[in-house]
């Protein structure tokens, strides 16, 4: 066998690593990925020519309630974008959208359009939220309107047994209907009525808005008189229209005794929850008035801002005794029904300050500086500026179930000083009256307002050191106020009457002869009737009712008169809200049985709104003075 040369079978050595096939696979995969990328870019990347997707993104963002940052073109060089379809070129600034939206290029006109749409969408969103909030509030009020409850204390009709007294009571009820109907017809929703001009009227004490003072003030009278349809109309107005959001200054005192007192009394008499809700709303609005260094509240507070100040004429920026001292009943009862002691604490602080400050001759001057706690000018009166402070000391004790010993002690000491310094008797007819103390001397003048003291002394006679003495003092003052009525041509008493020289219980000055439908004289007679059963007080009240009907009634309601000494009366064309709240209520109650409003279950605020005796002193921490 031949052997072939070995060189024919030699080959070049090759390194076989096994990676060639894998490299091919990798190249294939890279190529496929590239194709997919191109495919995705072609079909899924948005065309810059159609930029509506950005607007939609903004709208969705706004709709979700997001915070929108305005698009502002930065100071960068302009770039050019070619529009392939239109084959045109234009310059635009580069603009950034903050957060998760990528950098985009937006044309200025489109930017403006976007911002306009964003603004419109945001406004729509805010408006929708506002509508929803108002709808929720309306639903809540409608729910309150639909809620019927039983009053906290049962109200009995109190019809008197004898026909003559019933006839007189019915007469007063007709007076109330005439006054109410005139207001409803000509001034519904306004604070008060001009019964001759047939328009609404408002005083500065109510601020600049129309808050329906007459509606709120009349509620308790309507309820006691059994005028249920009228009461229901007032209730609906309160639920649907009464609000305390006006940006103007109002009187803390007047808003408390008329509005807060009226709402609380309506709640106590009817149990309607809407009155409690509104009372709390008002109470919260009044709280900023107490933000002073001493806790003595400002006379005025802005319901919107909460800022407070005092009357410019009030003795160098002082607060007024009758105003800051006549908040106790309402704020304590508000704490009682809400369970929130903040209201009671505010008025108890006021009492602490007044109790601790030194009192000249045991008397309380009419002015106190809320910053320093120092008395202002030395003027003491149980009429204007001072009156209801003393009334509320006594009635706070009564409301507490006679457990608020501090209030009773302060009242008793004040009465001792009043008797020692202010109680006077005229030389000619020996008429008892209350003088005013001014700068170390007495002014022998008594206000119509001060005639309430006849009832106060009668109410406070029990558990005093000498019950008969104080009943007698009340009777003497009630008689003096009756003389002030008798000695005018109209049979109606003036705003103030004097005891000077031969003049007794008559108005001497022209600016003291007017009558603005005030209740205080009749209020004094009401209490004297309750505690003595002397029929002369009912007879005096009937005379007053007839004279008011004769001289004050006009076609649209009742008006005050400018001069009670002139039989040819000139009207002032104002039907005060307290005429419905107080004057007519006291007339009605004096001709009613005691069961209508038992004084051991109710205490009547200075605007004649009944509040329940709550049985204990609502003092901070549950501690009784």
């Amino acid at each position: 066998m031949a052997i072939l040369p070995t060189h024919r079978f030699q080959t070049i050595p090759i390194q076989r690593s096994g990676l060639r096939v894998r490299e091919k696979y990798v190249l294939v995969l890279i190529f496929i990925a590239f194709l997919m990328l191109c495919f995705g870019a072609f079909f899924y990347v948005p065309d810059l020519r159609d930029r509506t997707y950005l607007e939609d993104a903004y709208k969705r963002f706004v709709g979700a309630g997001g915070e929108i940052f305005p698009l502002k073109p930065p100071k960068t060089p302009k770039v050019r974008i070619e529009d392939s379809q239109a084959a045109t070129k234009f310059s635009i600034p580069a603009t950034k959208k903050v957060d998760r939206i990528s950098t985009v290029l937006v044309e200025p006109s489109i930017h403006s359009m976007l911002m306009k749409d964003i603004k419109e969408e945001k406004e729509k969103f805010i408006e929708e939220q506002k509508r929803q909030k108002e709808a929720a509030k309306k639903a809540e009020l409608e729910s309150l309107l639909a809620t019927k409850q039983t009053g906290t204390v049962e109200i009995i009709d109190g019809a008197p047994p004898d026909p003559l007294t019933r006839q007189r009571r019915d007469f007063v009820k007709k007076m109330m209907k005439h006054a109410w109907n005139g207001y409803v017809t000509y001034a519904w929703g306004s604070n008060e009525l001009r019964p001759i001009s047939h328009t609404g009227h408002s005083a500065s004490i109510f601020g600049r808005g129309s808050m329906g003072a007459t509606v709120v003030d009349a509620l308790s009278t309507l309820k006691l008189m059994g005028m249920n349809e009228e009461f229901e109309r007032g209730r609906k107005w309160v639920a649907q229209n009464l609000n305390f959001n006006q940006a103007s200054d109002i009187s803390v005192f007047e808003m408390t005794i008329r509005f807060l007192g009226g709402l609380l009394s309506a709640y106590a008499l009817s149990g309607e929850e809407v009155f409690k809700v509104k009372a709390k709303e008002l109470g919260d609005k009044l709280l900023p008035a107490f933000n002073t260094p001493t806790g003595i509240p400002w006379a005025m507070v802005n319901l919107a801002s909460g800022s407070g100040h005092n009357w410019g004429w009030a003795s160098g920026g002082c607060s007024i005794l009758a105003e800051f001292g006549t908040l106790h009943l309402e704020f304590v009862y508000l704490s009682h029904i809400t369970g929130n002691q903040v209201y009671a604490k505010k008025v108890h602080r006021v009492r602490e300050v007044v109790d601790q400050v030194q009192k000249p001759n045991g008397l309380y001057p009419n002015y106190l500086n809320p910053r320093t706690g120092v008395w202002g000018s030395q003027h003491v009166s149980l009429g204007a500026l001072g009156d209801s402070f003393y009334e509320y000391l006594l009635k706070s004790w009564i409301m507490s179930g006679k457990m608020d010993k501090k209030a009773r002690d302060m009242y008793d000491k004040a009465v001792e000083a009043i008797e020692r310094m202010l109680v006077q008797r005229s030389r000619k007819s020996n008429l008892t009256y209350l003088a005013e103390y001014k700068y170390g001397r007495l002014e022998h003048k008594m206000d119509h307002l001060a005639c309430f003291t006849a009832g106060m002394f009668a109410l406070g006679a029990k558990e005093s050191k000498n019950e008969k003495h104080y009943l007698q003092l009340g009777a003497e003052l009630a008689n003096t106020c009756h003389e002030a009525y008798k000695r005018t041509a109209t049979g109606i008493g003036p705003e103030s009457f004097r005891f000077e020289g031969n003049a007794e219980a008559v108005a001497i000055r022209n600016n003291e002869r007017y009558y603005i439908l005030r209740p205080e004289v009749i209020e004094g007679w009401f209490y004297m009737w309750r505690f003595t059963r002397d029929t002369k007080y009912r007879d005096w009240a009937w005379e007053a009712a007839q004279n008011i009907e004769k001289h004050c009634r006009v076609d649209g309601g009742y008006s005050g008169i400018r001069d009670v000494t002139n039989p040819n009366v000139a009207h002032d064309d104002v039907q005060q809200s307290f005429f419905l709240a107080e004057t007519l209520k006291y007339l009605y109650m004096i001709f009613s049985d005691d069961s209508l409003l038992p004084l051991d279950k109710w205490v009547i605020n200075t605007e004649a709104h009944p509040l329940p005796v709550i049985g204990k002193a609502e003092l901070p921490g549950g501690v009784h003075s």
Side-chain angles (χ1 to χ4, degrees):
M1 180 174 67
I3 299 176
L4 297 175
T6 58
H7 70 274
R8 293 180 60 183
F9 298 97
Q10 288 183 347
T11 59
I12 299 174
I14 298 175
Q15 298 293 330
R16 298 184 183 277
S17 63
L19 298 176
R20 181 174 296 176
V21 175
R22 294 178 183 177
E23 290 174 351
K24 290 179 181 180
Y25 285 142
V26 171
L27 290 174
V28 170
L29 290 173
I30 292 173
F31 181 73
I32 292 172
F34 178 76
L35 289 177
M36 292 179 66
L37 181 63
C38 293
F39 179 85
F42 182 83
F43 287 99
Y44 294 108
V45 173
D47 189 349
L48 289 177
R49 292 169 302 169
D50 183 5
R51 285 171 291 272
T52 57
Y53 75 93
L54 181 60
E55 181 181 354
D56 292 339
Y58 277 124
K59 289 183 177 181
R60 290 172 185 244
F61 193 65
V62 173
E67 179 68 20
I68 301 301
F69 296 86
L71 298 179
K72 295 183 178 179
K75 296 180 179 179
T76 57
K78 292 185 177 181
V79 299
R80 302 182 69 84
I81 295 181
E82 183 168 334
D83 190 329
S84 59
Q85 290 184 352
T88 60
K89 294 182 179 181
F90 50 85
S91 297
I92 63 172
T95 309
K96 286 188 176 181
K97 171 68 183 78
V98 181
D99 203 5
R100 296 184 180 180
I101 300 180
S102 301
T103 302
V104 295
L105 300 177
V106 184
E107 188 177 354
S109 61
I110 297 177
H111 175 268
S112 300
M113 292 170 57
L114 288 177
M115 294 309 300
K116 182 178 179 181
D117 290 340
I118 291 169
K119 183 178 179 181
E120 290 177 354
E121 289 294 331
K122 190 171 184 179
E123 290 175 350
K124 288 179 182 179
F125 178 71
I126 294 173
E127 186 65 27
E128 181 61 26
Q129 282 189 321
K130 184 178 179 181
R131 281 197 297 267
Q132 291 176 0
K133 189 174 182 180
E134 290 176 350
K137 186 176 181 180
K138 184 177 180 181
E140 180 185 3
L141 292 175
E142 288 176 351
S143 175
L144 290 173
L145 280 170
T147 303
K148 298 288 184 180
Q149 301 180 21
T150 304
T152 56
V153 180
E154 182 182 3
I155 301 300
I156 299 174
D157 178 72
D162 63 292
L164 177 61
T165 307
R166 278 202 307 272
Q167 182 181 353
R168 291 176 174 180
R169 191 174 86 144
D170 290 342
F171 181 87
V172 174
K173 186 173 181 178
K174 289 178 181 177
M175 292 175 70
M176 179 66 180
K177 287 184 176 179
H178 181 64
W180 174 259
N181 289 339
Y183 171 76
V184 170
T185 303
Y186 302 115
W188 184 246
S190 299
N191 286 318
E192 292 172 325
L193 164 70
R194 290 193 179 276
I196 299 175
S197 303
H198 295 173
T199 60
H201 168 264
S202 188
S204 60
I205 56 175
F206 303 119
R208 294 190 296 270
S210 294
M211 294 189 292
T214 297
V215 178
V216 180
D217 233 0
L219 286 169
S220 59
T221 306
L222 294 171
K223 189 65 178 177
L224 288 173
M225 289 187 178
M227 298 173 63
N228 296 324
E229 291 183 7
E230 292 85 349
F231 179 84
E232 180 64 17
R233 179 167 189 165
R235 183 177 77 102
K236 288 182 178 179
W237 187 91
V238 167
Q240 296 171 351
N241 301 101
L242 180 61
N243 71 80
F244 306 106
N245 297 321
Q246 61 167 298
S248 62
D249 297 339
I250 52 86
S251 166
V252 175
F253 165 71
E254 296 291 353
M255 290 298 292
T256 298
I257 66 170
R258 301 195 200 203
F259 282 84
L260 186 57
L263 292 168
L264 292 171
S265 183
Y267 171 71
L269 292 168
S270 70
E272 300 287 356
E273 192 73 10
V274 64
F275 299 126
K276 176 181 174 181
V277 171
K278 292 294 183 179
K280 183 182 184 304
E281 181 183 341
L282 176 56
D284 292 339
K285 289 284 188 178
L286 295 175
L287 285 178
F290 295 85
N291 294 336
T292 66
T294 61
I296 299 294
W298 301 112
M300 307 288 286
V301 69
N302 188 292
L303 291 177
S305 68
S307 60
H309 63 90
N310 280 334
W311 302 104
W313 49 264
S315 186
C318 285
S319 298
I320 298 170
L321 181 69
E323 295 191 342
F324 66 76
T326 313
L327 312 173
H328 202 96
L329 299 183
E330 296 82 1
F331 276 71
V332 167
Y333 185 60
L334 182 59
S335 280
H336 178 72
I337 63 174
T338 62
N340 187 346
Q341 289 301 304
V342 65
Y343 313 107
K345 286 180 180 179
K346 294 296 185 183
V347 291
H348 281 295
R349 174 58 183 165
V350 171
R351 179 188 291 171
E352 288 174 4
V353 172
V354 176
D355 182 44
Q356 292 170 5
V357 68
Q358 186 176 0
K359 290 162 277 294
N361 299 311
L363 297 171
Y364 291 86
N366 290 337
Y367 302 102
L368 185 67
N369 192 305
R371 293 185 175 90
T372 64
V374 176
W375 297 113
S377 60
Q378 299 299 300
H379 177 202
V380 179
S381 170
L382 270 80
L385 307 179
D387 50 5
S388 47
F389 165 76
Y390 307 95
E391 173 189 358
Y392 269 39
L393 290 177
L394 175 63
K395 290 182 176 179
S396 296
W397 171 71
I398 295 172
M399 174 181 268
S400 72
K402 302 181 179 180
M403 295 180 68
D404 189 350
K405 304 302 183 182
K406 173 59 68 177
R408 179 75 207 208
D409 181 61
M410 291 175 67
Y411 170 78
D412 288 337
K413 289 180 179 178
V415 168
E416 290 177 5
I418 289 166
E419 274 208 275
R420 185 175 64 253
M421 300 292 295
L422 304 182
V423 173
Q424 304 290 309
R425 287 173 176 81
S426 66
R427 297 176 182 177
K428 185 177 179 180
S429 304
N430 200 35
L431 296 177
T432 301
Y433 63 95
L434 291 168
E436 295 187 8
Y437 183 84
K438 287 186 176 181
Y439 310 107
R441 67 178 183 83
L442 293 179
E443 182 178 13
H444 296 274
K445 179 197 76 165
M446 185 170 176
D447 288 343
H448 190 289
L449 288 163
C451 287
F452 89 95
T453 55
M456 182 183 74
F457 288 127
L459 186 62
K462 282 192 176 182
E463 301 188 34
S464 67
K465 294 180 180 179
N466 192 333
E467 181 176 347
K468 289 184 179 180
H469 168 72
Y470 287 110
L471 268 179
Q472 179 61 30
L473 179 58
E476 291 174 6
L477 290 168
N479 178 68
T480 298
C481 295
H482 179 241
E483 289 296 320
Y485 269 53
K486 281 175 57 178
R487 301 181 184 198
T488 67
T490 58
I492 298 173
E495 179 71 4
S496 299
F497 44 93
R498 294 179 179 264
F499 301 83
E500 298 177 1
N502 292 325
E504 290 184 322
V506 294
I508 297 176
R509 303 177 184 179
N510 290 333
N511 63 353
E512 297 173 347
R513 294 176 179 173
Y514 62 89
Y515 173 69
I516 55 173
L517 306 174
R518 288 202 187 277
E520 289 78 18
V521 171
I522 300 167
E523 174 186 354
W525 297 341
F526 161 73
Y527 282 104
M528 291 306 304
W529 159 252
R530 281 289 183 97
F531 290 110
T532 68
R533 297 300 175 187
D534 191 332
T535 57
K536 71 181 180 184
Y537 297 114
R538 277 185 164 175
D539 293 336
W540 291 353
W542 177 239
E543 290 172 2
Q546 288 181 301
N547 289 327
I548 291 171
E549 179 74 6
K550 177 180 179 181
H551 297 292
C552 299
R553 179 175 175 135
V554 294
D555 65 328
Y558 291 86
S559 168
I561 53 182
R562 301 185 185 280
D563 186 352
V564 296
T565 66
N566 189 343
N568 299 315
V569 298
H571 295 103
D572 64 12
D573 195 19
V574 177
Q575 180 175 280
Q576 305 280 349
S577 74
F578 56 69
F579 179 67
L580 290 80
E582 300 185 74
T583 310
L584 294 177
K585 184 186 281 109
Y586 281 121
L587 283 171
Y588 187 80
M589 290 194 300
I590 202 171
F591 298 127
S592 297
D593 189 78
D594 292 5
S595 60
L596 175 67
L597 205 72
L599 295 180
D600 61 338
K601 294 182 179 180
W602 295 91
V603 60
I604 304 172
N605 90 333
T606 198
E607 190 77 2
H609 294 305
L611 300 171
V613 171
I614 57 182
K616 64 178 181 178
E618 296 288 325
L619 302 181
V623 179
H624 303 302
S625 295

